[in-house]
Amino acid sequence: MHIIWTILIGLIAGVIAKFILPGNNPGGFILTSLLGIAGSVVATYLGHFVGWYQAGESAGFIGAVVGAIVLLGLYHLATKNS
């Protein structure tokens, strides 16, 4: 159930990240959602590594949104010249 919760939070975080950091995103909703899920997972494991979360805890909603914004920003930088 932990993974499903992380994915659902990641989907919502990806959509919010797209509204906060708009730009030319050729992947559309699907890529933004996948980046949100990845941001949520990254925020969860980074939080475990740093000690913010205990084992079995996932990143909070704000952490997932911040992770999604960072990954979306990196995606925009990587595809800017393409």
Side-chain angles (χ1 to χ4, degrees):
M1 192 68 181
H2 176 274
I3 297 294
I4 294 172
W5 183 249
T6 302
I7 290 171
L8 289 175
I9 293 296
L11 284 171
I12 297 167
V15 172
I16 291 173
K18 178 69 175 170
F19 285 122
I20 292 173
L21 191 65
N24 186 14
N25 189 356
F29 177 75
I30 293 174
L31 183 63
T32 303
S33 298
L34 290 175
L35 286 172
I37 293 169
S40 179
V41 171
V42 167
T44 298
Y45 288 110
L46 182 65
H48 285 196
F49 180 73
V50 175
W52 293 337
Y53 308 118
Q54 299 299 321
E57 290 182 330
S58 63
F61 183 71
I62 294 173
V65 171
V66 170
I69 289 171
V70 168
L71 288 181
L72 189 58
L74 291 174
Y75 175 76
H76 282 290
L77 287 175
T79 60
K80 184 170 68 169
N81 295 330
S82 300

